[in-house]
Amino acid sequence: MQSRTPVLDAWINWRTLTVLLLAMPAFINAAAYISYAGIPFVTSDGWYFVDAFLQKHYHAGLSLQDFYVKRSADDHAQPVQKLLLLWNAEAFNLDFVIESYMGLAIAATAWLLMLHVMAMDNRGNRPGIWWLLPAVASAASFVSLSGGMVFNWSLVTLGYLGPLAATALAVAAWTGVEKKRWWPLVTVAALVAFTQDGTAVICAISVICALLLREKKQRGTTLRPTAIAVVIVAGWIVAYKLASSLYLHSGLPVLATGGQGVSALLDMGVDPIARMMLTIAALSVSDLPPLQLHFPGRGELLHLVLGAVVIASHAWFWWRAVRDRWNNTQFLAVVLMLFCYGAVAGIVITRVSMFGPGYASQQRYLMLYQLGTVAIALLSAGSNWRTWGLVQKGLVSIGLLALIAAQLPLSRVTWSDAPYVQVYGNNLGRQMILLGSNPQAKLAACAPTLVICEAENGERIRSITLLRDHHLNAYSAEMLSRYSMEAIAAPTGPMEVVTPADDASKK
């Protein structure tokens, strides 16, 4: 009888199946939260894409440049998101809960690729079962319900494209260098470069740095394949940058350097920046509100203590990375950790420098911060646990078990806010219905995320008319019925719209 392939050996065994079974609750929990608290209506940046992208689709036809359109030089081109937006409009009447499910599916794909790498590296490690614990912890952290915004705002949920790109590029680079199979790297590097824009640069730098670190550990014995991999990854980034400057974004000005952002950060002083870094580290495990709820009066202090513990775990990560002879799992862990650092640096330099240290605590960034925790779990899963001392085994085991156990109280806090998120979403839909009755109306109350209220008159009329005429989003009876929201389409009430006379009397 012919033996099974290594891939089948890695997947068709009780260890991998056990990890899958134990990881499923994390993804099911996220899917259930999307189902209950996901906001189906157009919010914030989504209105820009309605006017700049869907208008052309329905009225003038789309060109390649339309899939890469940016609002400004410091914006990101998002061709994959626009393809999904187009499919969503045609198949689901522009339902952004569906888009959140798409983002979760992307997260599941990325984690399954991580699991594949872990399973392949541990398939001959008998009776090794240590890797099961960090493997489950990686899933728990990757889709942690520490903050609801990651899953109730679809534009954030689609951010899982970044970790998927980094994971796929790392696996392809390892395959090229270790097995001399180059077509996966050529293909993946091209896809990442031409679909991820600025995120692709972070992916490329992370993979290249990890390759160079690996080569240093190898003492230059695989210099030629490493050089080939670096050239492939960097070459596709250069190719995209040329396509961007010469064709895709030729009309946009050149983006200024980050020097001003760094200067602004230095002007803030050491203490605020140090506190912010502790906060960011803590956010990779838990948002602040759960600690404030469970430990009244001590939540902020415990959050900073948690940040210190996380920073210590990062120090352990690099100590372990220096000592170990990497396999694919550990190489992937290093890439994801570097990607996390690059993403955090981008947030700090471009956003925190403008809006202050508190800006780093926004829930929409939790997904990126959590990648550092995922990387620590992956490095643990790839390590040879038998070589560790008893203290190291105990501390790492306690940390991973605590990470998994923490998901229940974190999730409970997020779920406790879900009814309010649902009410907020219903109010958004109601306000859109009112604008559909008269796009020029001034609403008595308009949610901040319904940015179309503040748009100039022409854009507001164009966008609302497009959605209404094509029965999209709040103007789709099918979508409202899908969520039992027919009541929000009731006739306009006397207190919901401010007439010109009412508006003048208030001045």
Side-chain angles (χ1 to χ4, degrees):
M1 180 182 293
Q2 188 176 7
S3 61
R4 295 198 303 252
T5 66
V7 173
L8 285 176
D9 268 338
W11 280 91
I12 305 178
N13 65 71
W14 71 267
R15 296 173 182 83
T16 307
L17 295 176
T18 298
V19 173
L20 277 172
L21 183 64
L22 294 176
M24 281 178 61
F27 288 91
I28 293 172
N29 188 36
Y33 181 80
I34 291 171
S35 177
Y36 184 86
I39 297 176
F41 304 108
V42 190
T43 58
S44 301
D45 297 347
W47 285 103
Y48 169 79
F49 299 119
V50 167
D51 191 50
F53 185 73
L54 288 183
Q55 286 283 1
K56 287 191 175 182
H57 168 61
Y58 285 106
H59 294 142
L62 294 167
S63 67
L64 179 62
Q65 285 177 304
D66 292 317
F67 286 90
Y68 285 88
V69 66
K70 295 183 182 184
R71 289 164 291 182
S72 61
D74 62 349
D75 191 19
H76 294 286
Q78 300 177 333
V80 175
Q81 287 89 331
K82 292 186 181 69
L83 277 171
L84 293 175
L85 185 73
L86 199 60
W87 178 52
N88 190 1
E90 293 295 333
F92 301 101
N93 307 106
L94 203 62
D95 179 350
F96 287 94
V97 168
I98 299 297
E99 202 170 75
S100 290
Y101 283 129
M102 296 175 193
L104 183 60
I106 290 167
T109 302
W111 183 77
L112 285 172
L113 186 53
M114 296 177 202
L115 177 59
H116 171 74
V117 171
M118 289 185 279
M120 289 292 289
D121 281 341
N122 285 280
R123 70 185 188 278
N125 188 14
R126 303 179 187 279
I129 60 171
W130 152 257
W131 71 277
L132 273 64
L133 175 59
V136 174
S138 70
S141 181
F142 194 46
V143 291
S144 171
L145 219 60
S146 171
M149 185 179 289
V150 173
F151 297 105
N152 61 43
W153 186 5
S154 65
L155 287 175
V156 179
T157 319
L158 287 177
Y160 278 109
L161 278 166
L164 174 60
T167 301
L169 192 61
V171 173
W174 181 270
T175 301
V177 172
E178 287 287 325
K179 300 180 180 179
K180 310 302 183 292
R181 289 208 304 264
W182 297 108
W183 68 264
L185 181 58
V186 172
T187 304
V188 172
L191 286 172
V192 170
F194 277 84
T195 61
Q196 297 301 302
D197 197 59
T199 301
V201 176
I202 302 176
C203 289
I205 293 174
S206 302
V207 168
I208 289 171
C209 288
L211 285 169
L212 296 178
L213 288 171
R214 175 193 169 279
E215 192 57 42
K216 188 176 187 304
K217 292 172 69 67
Q218 296 287 107
R219 301 182 183 275
T221 56
T222 56
L223 190 59
R224 186 173 181 273
T226 297
I228 293 173
V230 169
V231 168
I232 291 172
V233 173
W236 278 116
I237 295 294
V238 172
Y240 173 74
K241 291 297 181 182
L242 287 173
S244 173
S245 61
L246 297 176
Y247 174 62
L248 296 174
H249 309 114
S250 57
L252 288 175
V254 177
L255 181 64
T257 62
Q260 291 180 338
V262 174
S263 298
L265 289 171
L266 294 175
D267 290 340
M268 292 178 187
V270 175
D271 288 346
I273 297 301
R275 189 180 180 90
M276 179 193 70
M277 296 311 297
L278 278 173
T279 300
I280 289 174
L283 289 171
S284 69
V285 175
S286 171
D287 201 2
L288 178 57
L291 291 180
Q292 290 175 321
L293 178 67
H294 293 295
F295 304 98
R298 292 178 292 171
E300 290 191 20
L301 175 61
L302 289 175
H303 205 237
L304 294 177
V305 171
L306 176 61
V309 172
V310 171
I311 288 174
S313 71
H314 279 242
W316 172 85
F317 174 95
W318 289 110
W319 175 77
R320 192 76 260 169
V322 168
R323 291 173 61 90
D324 288 350
R325 181 181 177 86
W326 295 353
N327 52 23
N328 195 356
T329 304
Q330 292 179 297
F331 177 78
L332 173 58
V334 171
V335 170
L336 289 180
M337 186 64 86
L338 292 173
F339 180 88
C340 173
Y341 292 165
V344 171
I347 293 167
V348 171
I349 292 172
T350 62
R351 299 298 181 188
V352 170
S353 62
M354 294 176 60
F355 304 113
Y359 197 83
S361 298
Q362 292 201 24
Q363 277 195 2
R364 59 183 171 144
Y365 296 136
L366 294 184
M367 174 204 309
L368 296 173
Y369 301 158
Q370 288 162 353
L371 270 184
T373 310
V374 173
I376 291 170
L378 286 176
L379 190 87
S380 304
S383 288
N384 183 0
W385 187 60
R386 297 183 184 88
T387 65
W388 293 7
L390 186 61
V391 173
Q392 186 178 184
K393 289 178 183 178
L395 289 175
V396 174
S397 298
I398 290 170
L400 292 170
L401 287 169
L403 180 64
I404 295 170
Q407 300 312 311
L408 180 58
L410 291 175
S411 178
R412 286 179 64 184
V413 173
T414 299
W415 270 101
S416 69
D417 290 336
Y420 305 104
V421 176
Q422 190 180 77
V423 170
Y424 181 82
N426 290 351
N427 288 337
L428 277 176
R430 178 58 180 170
Q431 290 164 12
M432 283 186 64
I433 294 291
L434 298 176
L435 288 174
S437 300
N438 179 10
Q440 300 186 66
K442 183 171 181 179
L443 303 187
C446 203
T449 54
L450 198 61
V451 296
I452 199 65
C453 289
E454 303 301 323
E456 60 92 16
N457 200 45
E459 180 186 343
R460 185 168 66 253
I461 293 172
R462 284 196 310 271
S463 298
I464 294 296
T465 302
L466 174 78
L467 297 178
R468 186 185 62 196
D469 290 354
H470 291 274
H471 307 290
L472 300 174
N473 206 245
Y475 312 109
S476 165
E478 180 183 338
M479 195 193 89
L480 295 181
S481 175
R482 189 179 300 149
Y483 303 109
S484 302
M485 288 183 175
E486 295 91 343
I488 70 170
T492 303
M495 303 297 291
E496 293 181 302
V497 176
V498 177
T499 65
D502 293 336
D503 192 37
S505 67
K506 294 180 181 178
K507 296 182 179 178

